[in-house]
Amino acid sequence: MNILGLSVNKNAQKLVDRAIEDKENLCVQIEKGPLGCTIIDAGVKARGGYAAGKLVTEICLGGYGTASTISMQYDQLTLPSIFVETDFPAIATLGSQFAGWKIEASNYFAMGSGPARALPKKPKEIYEQIQYEDHHDTAVIVLEAESYPTEEAVKTISDECKISPRNLYAVVAPTSSVVGSIQISGRIVETGIHRLSQVGLDPKLITHGCGYAPIPPIHPKAALAMGRTNDALYYGGVTFYTVNLESDNQLRDIVSKAPSSCASAYGKPFYEILKEAKFDFYQIDPNIFAPAVIVANNARTGTTIRSGKIDAKALKFMMGITET
């Protein structure tokens, strides 16, 4: 079902075309990949940067959200941050941006996010929950990986999307790159919506969403970079949602359970949490996958409810920031 008639792949294609046309200014590299697919390199060989990071974040959102870089104060700590807003929260975040597709092939692994997920519905239960599907003859996927997809990986993605590999556009950025750091922090609104849906809020009742999170300093080791990017969300991410719910009491109960501080693992660096779980995301307490602060405004009643806290001290330590 697609009540609004929105196509995340069609809409994101406009942004991909912009990246190809403006590749020099965005510091990205365009290459023909296996089986004739198009690779938009935003950090493997290419330098990437803030402009590319914002654009890749918007591509992840299927073009139904905007991103901007700002400077934010976290207590006494000032950090570059990304601000994201969307008027189509369920579709842009859960239906597109959510990193819900594990791309596994011989000698290749990547976390897949972005519009292409909507074609094979990865994972199916999310698309059933938000009642969304997409049909398009091109697919745009964002790969969090340190290398370009192999021929087998391209074939797997194309076959699942039921498109020709020549119509596949793969944006690739490692976690340990400027673009990787920006686009993961740019998942702040999605992280909150996913968490709210887990604790009982129908994401279709969220009409608008915005939020910001710090952009962490780069670390050359992928696992440590992943730790920093997740810590940015859990200890510094702030979200604001407009919802339509009959009961303020129900909303209060949901929001109170949603922030990252509700997790038993809260307070630990995410890298340590990941290491204890033997680098298996599915063994981690899911409560930690949440913003530091969640604010929800009930448009039906005018009530606004806030829960959670920013931990600037933890941010400073986990980002590896030292004073001279």
Side-chain angles (χ1 to χ4, degrees):
M1 186 181 297
N2 185 349
I3 298 172
L4 297 176
L6 305 179
S7 171
V8 289
N9 282 282
K10 181 180 180 180
N11 206 38
Q13 186 66 52
K14 303 170 190 174
L15 301 178
V16 169
D17 291 344
R18 188 194 306 172
I20 294 171
E21 184 180 344
D22 205 23
K23 60 183 180 181
E24 289 85 4
N25 290 332
L26 292 169
C27 303
V28 299
Q29 205 167 304
I30 311 300
E31 296 196 15
K32 275 298 171 188
L35 304 176
C37 76
T38 301
I39 304 289
I40 297 94
D41 178 352
V44 179
K45 301 175 186 175
R47 188 160 63 92
Y50 280 85
K54 290 187 291 182
L55 187 60
V56 171
T57 300
E58 292 176 353
I59 289 171
C60 278
L61 290 161
Y64 292 110
T66 58
S68 54
T69 48
I70 55 176
S71 179
M72 288 298 297
Q73 193 86 13
Y74 303 87
D75 197 8
Q76 299 301 310
L77 184 65
T78 303
L79 288 171
S81 303
I82 183 166
F83 180 83
V84 173
E85 55 190 324
T86 175
D87 294 324
F88 304 94
I91 292 171
T93 62
L94 300 184
S96 187
Q97 189 182 30
F98 180 65
W101 191 355
K102 287 198 296 184
I103 310 298
E104 297 178 287
S106 301
N107 301 315
Y108 190 78
F109 176 82
M111 288 305 298
S113 60
R117 286 181 44 244
L119 298 176
K121 298 180 181 176
K122 299 282 188 175
K124 188 176 180 180
E125 58 269 20
I126 280 183
Y127 291 92
E128 290 176 347
Q129 182 183 35
I130 65 174
Q131 297 182 323
Y132 178 72
E133 59 185 30
D134 190 19
H135 301 282
H136 199 56
D137 57 2
T138 65
V140 181
I141 192 163
V142 177
L143 300 173
E144 189 180 335
E146 297 183 8
S147 59
Y148 296 170
T150 60
E151 182 174 318
E152 183 183 343
V154 168
K155 187 175 188 307
T156 296
I157 298 167
S158 302
D159 287 351
E160 290 273 11
C161 293
K162 295 182 171 56
I163 61 161
S164 164
R166 295 181 180 277
N167 290 338
L168 175 66
Y169 295 82
V171 181
V172 189
T175 313
S176 52
S177 67
V178 172
V179 171
S181 189
I182 291 170
Q183 72 95 0
I184 296 172
S185 288
R187 297 174 183 276
I188 183 60
V189 175
E190 173 264 301
T191 301
I193 291 177
H194 186 249
R195 183 64 193 141
L196 287 167
S197 70
Q198 287 182 318
V199 293
L201 182 65
D202 181 349
K204 297 190 300 300
L205 299 179
I206 304 173
T207 58
H208 309 278
C210 64
Y212 63 88
I215 298 168
I218 295 168
H219 197 290
K221 294 183 178 178
L224 290 169
M226 184 182 295
R228 286 184 177 181
T229 53
N230 282 275
D231 289 333
L233 302 173
Y234 310 152
Y235 299 104
V238 177
T239 56
F240 185 98
Y241 303 104
T242 304
V243 303
N244 275 295
L245 201 61
E246 289 185 6
S247 169
D248 282 340
N249 287 335
Q250 184 185 0
L251 183 61
R252 186 173 288 106
D253 180 61
I254 289 170
V255 172
S256 68
K257 297 174 183 175
S260 58
S261 52
C262 294
S264 59
Y266 183 83
K268 291 183 181 180
F270 186 74
Y271 174 74
E272 296 298 327
I273 297 172
L274 195 58
K275 194 162 62 170
E276 288 173 8
K278 297 181 180 177
F279 297 92
D280 183 353
F281 271 84
Y282 296 98
Q283 298 305 313
I284 296 172
D285 177 2
N287 294 334
I288 196 65
F289 298 108
V293 175
I294 293 180
V295 183
N297 166 228
N298 191 347
R300 289 199 187 187
T301 65
T303 300
T304 300
I305 298 164
R306 182 187 187 278
S307 186
K309 60 184 179 181
I310 289 175
D311 191 335
K313 185 177 180 181
L315 272 179
K316 185 175 180 181
F317 172 74
M318 294 167 187
M319 300 298 159
I321 299 170
T322 58
E323 302 283 352
T324 58

